Amino acid sequence: MSLKPLKKSDMNKEWMRTRRDKPRKIQPEYHLIVTEGTNTEPAYFGAVRDTVNRRYRGKVQLDIFGEGDNTLSLLERARQRKRMSPYVYKHVWVVYDTDDFPARHIDKTAILCKEISTEETEYHAIWSNQCIELWFLLHFGYMHSDLHRNAYWPKLSECLERIDAGCYKKNREDMYTVLCPYIGFAIHNAKRLDAENAGKPPSQSAPGTKVFELIEKLSPYLLAEDM
């Protein structure tokens, strides 16, 4: 088949003009974080959000709500938040402590997060047994003793005082800033605990925490010096 040169009469026709598509705006990846606590967890994850949103607002966006609900009711509140939001959340993080809640509620929440996840939105059960202070302690060392949550606070104070960061108080607002230099160590320790708890439901994984999964997911958006 021979290729004929273009006719001058064809040069200005619509089908011959160079196509100039408008640049497509890439939407950021949206994350929804709902927490059982209304102070400690929102303050910690709020600092993470502020860091990520400030540096990568066009790539990822975090929304955080401290609900005051727990386990199953917290999951339902997260689903309501997702339905009401104008954004399409890629990840929904349900952050809760096991405390003394019924084991069936603790474990059912984790099961439901997997069952209701879709390709569009993945739900994550980010539980801590017994409380988020375990995650804080793992920044300083590995701990596998099943202590009551009230025993965590004096231990945290000892650790913080060793780095001249004062004592620990519930609802302290600067925990992310204080602990961020040790996040990599905390992830390592939390993963080690997770491996020891393999096959156990959350209610029986004491001590244990899934907070590392959320932090590790966001790690590409946190500066290297924070990790």
Side-chain angles (χ1 to χ4, degrees), residues 131-180:
C131 59
I132 196 172
E133 279 79 9
L134 169 63
W135 167 249
F136 295 162
L137 273 173
L138 291 174
H139 288 70
F140 300 99
Y142 182 70
M143 192 183 77
H144 60 87
S145 299
D146 183 13
L147 303 177
H148 189 272
R149 58 187 177 277
N150 290 341
Y152 291 168
W153 302 338
K155 286 184 174 295
L156 262 177
S157 286
E158 292 176 8
C159 293
L160 291 170
E161 287 170 356
R162 286 202 300 266
I163 60 171
D164 296 321
C167 61
Y168 179 71
K169 295 181 180 179
K170 195 70 175 174
N171 306 331
R172 182 169 168 171
E173 296 183 351
D174 64 345
M175 288 304 291
Y176 174 73
T177 302
V178 171
L179 298 177
C180 69

Side-chain angles (χ1 to χ4, degrees), residues 69-227:
D69 289 294
N70 59 76
T71 59
L72 293 172
S73 59
L74 182 64
L75 174 57
E76 182 55 34
R77 186 63 65 91
R79 299 180 75 177
Q80 291 174 0
R81 290 278 187 191
K82 176 185 175 297
R83 288 194 295 267
M84 295 170 59
S85 175
Y87 308 122
V88 177
Y89 289 112
K90 180 63 177 176
H91 296 278
V92 176
W93 307 88
V94 183
V95 183
Y96 61 100
D97 296 342
T98 63
D99 287 337
D100 295 320
F101 297 119
R104 64 183 183 278
H105 292 177
I106 295 167
D107 299 335
K108 185 64 174 178
T109 302
I111 292 171
L112 285 175
C113 281
K114 293 182 179 179
E115 291 181 349
I116 65 177
S117 292
T118 64
E119 290 187 6
E120 181 181 76
T121 302
E122 184 175 0
Y123 284 79
H124 307 262
I126 305 300
W127 50 267
S128 292
N129 190 342
Q130 293 184 343
C131 59
I132 196 172
E133 279 79 9
L134 169 63
W135 167 249
F136 295 162
L137 273 173
L138 291 174
H139 288 70
F140 300 99
Y142 182 70
M143 192 183 77
H144 60 87
S145 299
D146 183 13
L147 303 177
H148 189 272
R149 58 187 177 277
N150 290 341
Y152 291 168
W153 302 338
K155 286 184 174 295
L156 262 177
S157 286
E158 292 176 8
C159 293
L160 291 170
E161 287 170 356
R162 286 202 300 266
I163 60 171
D164 296 321
C167 61
Y168 179 71
K169 295 181 180 179
K170 195 70 175 174
N171 306 331
R172 182 169 168 171
E173 296 183 351
D174 64 345
M175 288 304 291
Y176 174 73
T177 302
V178 171
L179 298 177
C180 69
Y182 315 101
I183 287 180
F185 190 44
I187 291 174
H188 171 78
N189 289 328
K191 283 184 170 182
R192 185 178 168 189
L193 269 182
D194 200 51
E196 287 194 9
N197 291 325
K200 298 179 183 178
S203 64
Q204 296 178 23
S205 300
T209 179
K210 289 289 189 178
V211 173
F212 75 91
E213 292 185 352
L214 171 50
I215 297 300
E216 195 167 44
K217 182 67 177 180
L218 297 175
S219 63
Y221 307 108
L222 298 170
L223 289 182
E225 57 262 33
D226 291 347
M227 301 301 292

Side-chain angles (χ1 to χ4, degrees), residues 26-29 52-61:
I26 299 176
Q27 294 298 320
E29 181 178 271
V52 172
N53 287 358
R54 182 176 65 252
R55 297 170 179 166
Y56 299 97
R57 181 170 294 275
K59 293 184 178 180
V60 62
Q61 182 72 29

Side-chain angles (χ1 to χ4, degrees), residues 42-56:
Y44 178 82
F45 292 112
V48 174
R49 173 202 60 204
D50 293 344
T51 300
V52 172
N53 287 358
R54 182 176 65 252
R55 297 170 179 166
Y56 299 97

